Amino acid sequence: MGELLAALVRAVGADYVLTAPEDMAPFLTDWRGRYHGDALAVVKPLTTAQVAEVVSICSRAGIAIVPQGGNTGLCGGATPLPGGRAVVLGLSRLDRIRALDTDNDTLCVDAGCTLAAVQHAAAAADRLFPLALASEGSCLIGGNLSTNAGGVQVLRYGNARELVLGLEVVLPDGRVWNGLRGLRKDNTGYDLKQLFIGAEGTLGVITAAVLKLFPAIRSRATAWVAVPDPQSAVRLLGLLRSHCGDRVSAFEIIGRSALELVLEHIPAARNPLPRMAPWAVLVELSDAAADAALEAKLLEVLSLGGEQGLVEDAAIAASIVQAQALWTLRESISEAQRIEGLSIKHDVAVPVSRIPEFLERAGAALHRVWPEVRIVAFGHIGDGNLHFNLSKPDAADNAAFIERTPEANRIVHDLVTGLGGSISAEHGLGQLKRDEILRYKSAVEMDMMRTIKQAFDPRGLMNPGKLLQLERQDTGAAVG
Amino acid sequence: MGELLAALVRAVGADYVLTAPEDMAPFLTDWRGRYHGDALAVVKPLTTAQVAEVVSICSRAGIAIVPQGGNTGLCGGATPLPGGRAVVLGLSRLDRIRALDTDNDTLCVDAGCTLAAVQHAAAAADRLFPLALASEGSCLIGGNLSTNAGGVQVLRYGNARELVLGLEVVLPDGRVWNGLRGLRKDNTGYDLKQLFIGAEGTLGVITAAVLKLFPAIRSRATAWVAVPDPQSAVRLLGLLRSHCGDRVSAFEIIGRSALELVLEHIPAARNPLPRMAPWAVLVELSDAAADAALEAKLLEVLSLGGEQGLVEDAAIAASIVQAQALWTLRESISEAQRIEGLSIKHDVAVPVSRIPEFLERAGAALHRVWPEVRIVAFGHIGDGNLHFNLSKPDAADNAAFIERTPEANRIVHDLVTGLGGSISAEHGLGQLKRDEILRYKSAVEMDMMRTIKQAFDPRGLMNPGKLLQLERQDTGAAVG
């Protein structure tokens, strides 16, 4: 133990090996305070070489490593397990923008850059890096890639996975894989970077990436659209895509109860339309051309939607300020829910075509066993991704409400799976759904996942207890 | 052996187990006649269950399996090795379009559908499946996915990999993995489908896929543009993308010598411009909107390019027939080269920004050692992908010319690698580059690839001798 710490200090310097409980505390709890763990030390390397050295030291000592980015995850993936003899590897000091290539539309960055820093570096070069999420000011790009983050522009640009051309990874034995290629085409064997994207740090530590850049956006049109039901929203999406193609850059659905919570709890919020509709859709069109006349296009398609009974009313933002106000409504839902009280959250996906059926059946099934529960549904309907949350009934006490989480999960997750969906659309498995997923993935698929884990990290030292366990009964906590 | 054949006959029926040399012959040679191999039988299952049964039988008997789609590959990836005791698994009878979901923009297809059949199924639903290549009438979608095919629309839509949401795969032990999810977001563990895409059948047999569909294209503008040099082409691409975003759906470069060969050997071909330019670019803009006014947009950007000295002259197609004629020029280059005589071909990629440097340095280095060789360069410059081919000097004899292939490869591949590029941009490794790649991939990367192969196919029964060898000295031919 003393020898381990001494080796770590030699690798990164004494200032960057934290062992005092008060220094380690922020790294041992997730930001929502749901998960708490223990560690021998928090180590903060500055370079890839230092990461490799730290991983080598831990590997030789048989000590587990928990990579941590901005610690903004929702599933406990970056929090060490309780009682574990692990080292937390904090990556925030790897924060260099390594290289910009505008002719190749690529940006090479250290894993410890914040997402906002990456976005800014792209914008400064008159380019767009389209990944965008609520925590972009504090989450780190390495964490975004390790969790294959989603966000509000997936419909147009894909998940984090689709935005990566190359990776640099420190493997579980401390070797460095330099896969930092900035190529759109490279068919020279297995696409190794795919293994590490979305692996939640269980196969290695992402230390740098080559990211795709896109043309900067110069035209935008945003509307808040009242629709009678989710089926109309799905049809409207089809209409928009057939007329506007990939200019449809966001298509978010907001259930009435979600909007009501925002109007109640968020001071400046107001309904963009004169009446409350059962469902609203936030649509955004965007274009690299400065003269794209998107408002006219949006108005045209919404009129067409009106004729087909898909649209009840709509407000098109007349200014950037108005557009921002519409987005603020959408982005305030989580905060409004938090103010309202406890909720049981589900981050699920189904095929877009099955969204209406999912909403109807999930609502009915829940209300059958739990008549008073309030359903707050919203999300990225264009990606088939819903945040399907249950708010505490006014009269219920907190403990009794939370106690019903497994029952609610069972109803929602069984239904999602029956519709060909996913029980974790964009937040990952982490600790939260590590065991829940065993119910839904086939034995063949779990076996394939364990085969990969076993091949790359046979001793289970990389982020143990997250995403999957090598042995089902192993808690991962005692590794080392 | 008799027992094996009897089991295979029980699995798929006697009509679909070919053993007569004349029946097997088409499956034992690639279409260009470069590779020849041997097999115990060619087996043609009808369903995934039959594929699984065949793989199980072979696995139990320790017999290698060579999956084969349309047999249109360029690197010998679908041809069994000479002297090998392998079974060729012909997948063309798995040819059902399984399901179309227009609201979800997905199409589920058997692996044995031709690419053209997939394109047609999409078009019939007023959608686009954008993968497009010369062999689309005969190549099978399973082969496209197994080789991560590229083609002419990668710039806008990505490689085959980017077009897949789900896969069904028969694993090397005969188990079936059903990963046929049609989800845009699914973060429930390792993204297993990525393993099999581009793996050239070395990890399992793709039997079905859920593919992404896109809005149908309703506007298109096409131009043939003379540019002074490759650097101007790269700058013009940047200009186009900043003004038109992803409406730039193709951006192909054609060197003067390539155009000259086409004009000489292809009867109807004529230069769209009054003078021969050193380089030409074929640009296509496309849009889902019917009223996108793309010609005007294209003209505007080309004028701007002219002002900046990037464009010498341009012809914008005034009709679909004219546009097709421009594409025919581009697509006839390979045929013109074939008529002209032998060539040494390179399918390479570098970052788009390095294309000018690559062309200059590769040309200079080759002419230094081989002054009379003719360089025929063209390709998907928007993806950084060049087909950099050497045509036989008029006076040279065939054998002497071909003998210099390794020397030419060394010059081109060393340079490509030095520029951060790939020695196989879109055609894969197969047999052709299986050993060549050992020179260019790091030991760490080769080791990672072998780790995956070892984990999923420890006995090396899946398409042995292609892409990589488990042991370097093992030819794969003697398996079983």
Side-chain angles (χ1 to χ4, degrees):
Chain A
M1 171 67 186
E3 204 176 309
L4 175 80
L5 291 178
L8 293 172
V9 165
R10 277 194 302 277
V12 304
D15 288 352
Y16 302 106
V17 179
L18 315 180
T19 52
E22 63 275 20
D23 294 339
M24 292 205 290
F27 298 87
L28 302 183
T29 303
D30 73 314
W31 68 279
R32 294 198 299 175
R34 301 279 178 96
Y35 299 93
H36 308 281
D38 298 296
L40 301 173
V42 174
V43 182
K44 304 187 70 178
L46 180 66
T47 62
T48 299
Q50 287 190 2
V51 174
E53 181 61 19
V54 169
V55 173
S56 289
I57 290 165
C58 291
S59 170
R60 283 195 298 269
I63 297 292
I65 292 168
V66 180
Q68 191 175 99
N71 196 12
T72 60
L74 295 167
C75 299
T79 309
L81 297 180
R85 288 167 45 79
V87 163
V88 172
L89 189 66
L91 289 152
S92 61
R93 293 177 69 223
L94 281 85
D95 64 354
R96 289 172 311 145
I97 302 288
R98 291 197 192 180
L100 167 72
D101 184 343
T102 50
D103 280 343
N104 196 41
D105 276 332
T106 49
L107 187 67
C108 182
V109 300
D110 273 359
C113 293
T114 63
L115 175 52
V118 174
Q119 293 167 342
H120 292 154
D126 196 29
R127 295 291 187 279
L128 172 71
F129 181 67
L131 190 66
L133 356 141
S135 62
E136 59 199 28
S138 45
C139 63
L140 306 186
I141 189 70
N144 296 144
L145 302 184
S146 291
T147 57
N148 186 27
V152 292
Q153 300 199 96
V154 172
L155 178 63
R156 166 67 188 77
Y157 298 97
N159 297 286
R161 181 181 304 279
E162 277 81 47
L163 305 176
V164 181
L165 292 178
L167 285 185
E168 177 186 81
V169 176
V170 173
L171 300 177
D173 59 7
R175 288 182 302 168
V176 178
W177 171 53
N178 182 345
L180 286 175
R181 292 184 280 263
L183 302 174
R184 259 78 185 172
K185 285 184 175 173
D186 178 21
N187 277 338
T188 54
Y190 307 144
D191 191 1
L192 298 169
K193 66 178 177 288
Q194 306 293 349
L195 275 176
F196 303 97
I197 301 170
E200 304 188 24
T202 61
L203 299 175
V205 184
I206 295 175
T207 50
V210 178
L211 304 171
K212 286 187 204 170
L213 300 180
F214 293 80
I217 294 301
R218 296 191 217 284
S219 305
R220 214 182 285 269
T222 312
W224 189 272
V225 184
V227 299
D229 49 44
Q231 183 63 53
S232 299
V234 169
R235 295 260 181 255
L236 180 63
L237 174 63
L239 204 60
L240 272 162
R241 278 175 56 93
S242 79
H243 282 78
C244 306
D246 267 348
R247 262 158 290 194
V248 188
S249 50
F251 195 85
E252 302 278 310
I253 196 165
I254 301 100
R256 178 179 181 141
S257 57
L259 181 58
E260 282 170 347
L261 285 182
V262 171
L263 298 178
E264 187 181 340
H265 294 299
I266 306 297
R270 61 170 205 82
N271 186 356
L273 296 173
R275 281 181 303 179
M276 285 301 284
W279 295 91
V281 167
L282 177 58
V283 181
E284 187 181 87
L285 303 184
S286 61
D287 200 306
D291 56 350
L294 295 178
E295 282 89 357
K297 196 90 199 157
L298 185 52
L299 192 60
E300 179 196 327
V301 179
L302 291 176
S303 302
L304 207 57
E307 288 164 23
Q308 298 180 17
L310 307 177
V311 172
E312 293 189 341
D313 196 1
I316 298 187
S319 66
I320 293 173
V321 172
Q322 283 186 14
Q324 192 46 56
L326 299 181
W327 273 106
T328 301
L329 288 178
R330 163 65 184 87
E331 286 164 355
S332 301
I333 300 172
S334 292
E335 176 64 5
Q337 277 199 285
R338 197 190 56 75
I339 296 170
E340 175 74 5
L342 287 178
S343 50
I344 299 171
K345 301 195 173 195
H346 301 98
D347 164 44
V348 298
V350 293
V352 176
S353 51
R354 313 303 288 271
I355 289 265
E357 181 181 354
F358 167 74
L359 284 168
E360 193 178 316
R361 290 177 59 189
L366 282 162
H367 282 138
R368 217 161 22 239
V369 298
W370 202 353
E372 70 280 16
V373 79
R374 290 181 299 160
I375 293 172
V376 179
F378 62 98
H380 320 291
I381 187 174
D383 315 316
N385 177 197
L386 286 178
H387 299 304
F388 187 82
N389 300 337
L390 310 182
S391 256
K392 191 168 75 70
D394 293 328
D397 79 53
N398 286 350
F401 174 74
I402 286 299
E403 235 165 52
R404 297 189 73 168
T405 301
E407 181 189 356
N409 284 349
R410 191 61 58 241
I411 290 170
V412 172
H413 292 168
D414 281 2
L415 183 56
V416 160
T417 305
L419 294 172
S422 167
I423 70 162
S424 189
E426 56 177 10
H427 296 160
L429 296 175
Q431 303 179 43
L432 178 64
K433 296 179 183 171
R434 182 198 64 197
D435 295 333
E436 180 77 0
I437 196 67
L438 296 172
R439 187 180 169 92
Y440 298 108
K441 278 207 194 287
S442 66
V444 172
E445 185 155 337
M446 286 309 303
D447 191 40
M448 290 164 73
M449 282 175 43
R450 286 199 200 90
T451 297
I452 293 171
K453 174 74 172 173
Q454 180 73 43
F456 280 84
D457 181 28
R459 292 186 295 158
L461 295 181
M462 292 305 309
N463 210 6
K466 318 298 169 55
L467 192 143
L468 87 175
Q469 307 213 57
L470 267 179
E471 309 294 335
R472 286 193 196 185
Q473 66 279 18
D474 171 17
T475 67
V479 165
Chain B
M1 171 65 186
E3 203 177 308
L4 175 80
L5 291 178
L8 293 172
V9 165
R10 277 194 302 278
V12 303
D15 288 352
Y16 302 107
V17 178
L18 316 180
T19 52
E22 63 276 21
D23 293 340
M24 293 205 289
F27 298 87
L28 303 182
T29 303
D30 72 315
W31 68 278
R32 295 198 299 174
R34 301 279 179 95
Y35 299 93
H36 308 280
D38 298 296
L40 301 172
V42 174
V43 181
K44 303 186 72 179
L46 181 66
T47 62
T48 299
Q50 287 190 1
V51 174
E53 181 60 20
V54 169
V55 173
S56 288
I57 291 166
C58 292
S59 169
R60 284 196 299 270
I63 295 292
I65 291 168
V66 180
Q68 190 174 99
N71 197 11
T72 60
L74 295 166
C75 300
T79 309
L81 297 180
R85 289 167 44 80
V87 163
V88 172
L89 188 68
L91 289 153
S92 61
R93 292 178 70 223
L94 280 86
D95 64 353
R96 289 171 312 143
I97 301 288
R98 291 198 191 179
L100 166 72
D101 183 343
T102 50
D103 280 343
N104 196 42
D105 276 333
T106 49
L107 187 67
C108 182
V109 301
D110 273 359
C113 293
T114 63
L115 174 53
V118 175
Q119 293 167 340
H120 292 153
D126 195 29
R127 295 291 187 279
L128 171 72
F129 181 67
L131 190 65
L133 357 141
S135 63
E136 59 200 27
S138 45
C139 63
L140 305 187
I141 188 71
N144 297 143
L145 302 183
S146 291
T147 56
N148 186 29
V152 291
Q153 298 199 97
V154 171
L155 178 63
R156 166 66 189 78
Y157 297 98
N159 296 285
R161 181 181 304 280
E162 277 81 47
L163 306 175
V164 181
L165 292 179
L167 286 185
E168 179 187 79
V169 177
V170 174
L171 300 177
D173 59 7
R175 288 181 302 168
V176 178
W177 171 52
N178 181 346
L180 286 175
R181 293 184 279 264
L183 302 174
R184 258 77 185 173
K185 285 185 174 174
D186 178 21
N187 276 338
T188 55
Y190 307 144
D191 192 1
L192 299 169
K193 65 178 178 289
Q194 306 293 349
L195 275 177
F196 303 98
I197 301 170
E200 304 186 25
T202 61
L203 299 175
V205 183
I206 294 174
T207 49
V210 179
L211 304 172
K212 285 187 204 170
L213 301 180
F214 294 80
I217 294 302
R218 296 192 219 284
S219 304
R220 214 181 285 270
T222 312
W224 189 272
V225 185
V227 299
D229 49 45
Q231 183 63 52
S232 299
V234 169
R235 295 261 180 255
L236 180 63
L237 173 63
L239 203 60
L240 273 161
R241 278 175 55 93
S242 79
H243 283 77
C244 306
D246 268 348
R247 262 158 291 193
V248 188
S249 50
F251 195 86
E252 302 278 310
I253 197 166
I254 300 101
R256 178 180 182 139
S257 57
L259 180 58
E260 282 171 346
L261 284 182
V262 171
L263 297 178
E264 187 180 342
H265 293 298
I266 307 296
R270 61 169 206 83
N271 186 355
L273 296 173
R275 279 182 302 179
M276 286 300 284
W279 295 90
V281 167
L282 176 59
V283 181
E284 187 182 86
L285 303 185
S286 61
D287 200 305
D291 57 350
L294 295 178
E295 282 89 354
K297 195 89 200 159
L298 186 51
L299 192 60
E300 179 196 326
V301 179
L302 292 176
S303 303
L304 206 58
E307 288 165 21
Q308 297 180 16
L310 308 176
V311 172
E312 292 188 342
D313 197 0
I316 298 187
S319 67
I320 293 174
V321 172
Q322 284 186 14
Q324 193 45 58
L326 299 181
W327 274 107
T328 301
L329 287 177
R330 163 66 183 86
E331 287 164 355
S332 301
I333 299 173
S334 293
E335 176 63 6
Q337 277 200 287
R338 197 190 55 73
I339 296 170
E340 175 74 4
L342 287 179
S343 50
I344 299 171
K345 300 194 173 193
H346 301 97
D347 165 43
V348 298
V350 293
V352 176
S353 52
R354 313 302 290 271
I355 289 264
E357 183 181 353
F358 168 75
L359 284 168
E360 193 178 316
R361 289 177 59 189
L366 283 162
H367 282 139
R368 217 159 22 237
V369 298
W370 202 352
E372 69 281 17
V373 78
R374 290 182 299 161
I375 293 172
V376 179
F378 62 99
H380 320 291
I381 187 174
D383 315 315
N385 177 195
L386 286 178
H387 298 304
F388 186 82
N389 300 338
L390 311 182
S391 258
K392 191 168 75 71
D394 293 327
D397 79 55
N398 286 351
F401 174 73
I402 286 298
E403 235 166 51
R404 296 189 73 167
T405 301
E407 181 190 355
N409 284 349
R410 191 61 57 242
I411 289 170
V412 172
H413 293 167
D414 281 1
L415 184 55
V416 160
T417 305
L419 294 172
S422 167
I423 70 161
S424 188
E426 56 178 9
H427 296 160
L429 296 175
Q431 304 180 43
L432 178 64
K433 296 179 183 171
R434 183 198 64 196
D435 296 333
E436 180 77 359
I437 196 66
L438 296 171
R439 187 181 169 91
Y440 298 108
K441 278 208 195 286
S442 66
V444 172
E445 186 156 336
M446 286 309 302
D447 191 41
M448 291 164 73
M449 283 176 43
R450 286 198 199 91
T451 297
I452 293 171
K453 174 74 172 173
Q454 180 72 42
F456 280 83
D457 181 27
R459 292 185 296 158
L461 295 181
M462 292 305 310
N463 210 6
K466 317 300 168 56
L467 193 145
L468 87 177
Q469 307 214 56
L470 266 178
E471 308 295 334
R472 287 194 195 184
Q473 66 280 16
D474 171 17
T475 69
V479 166

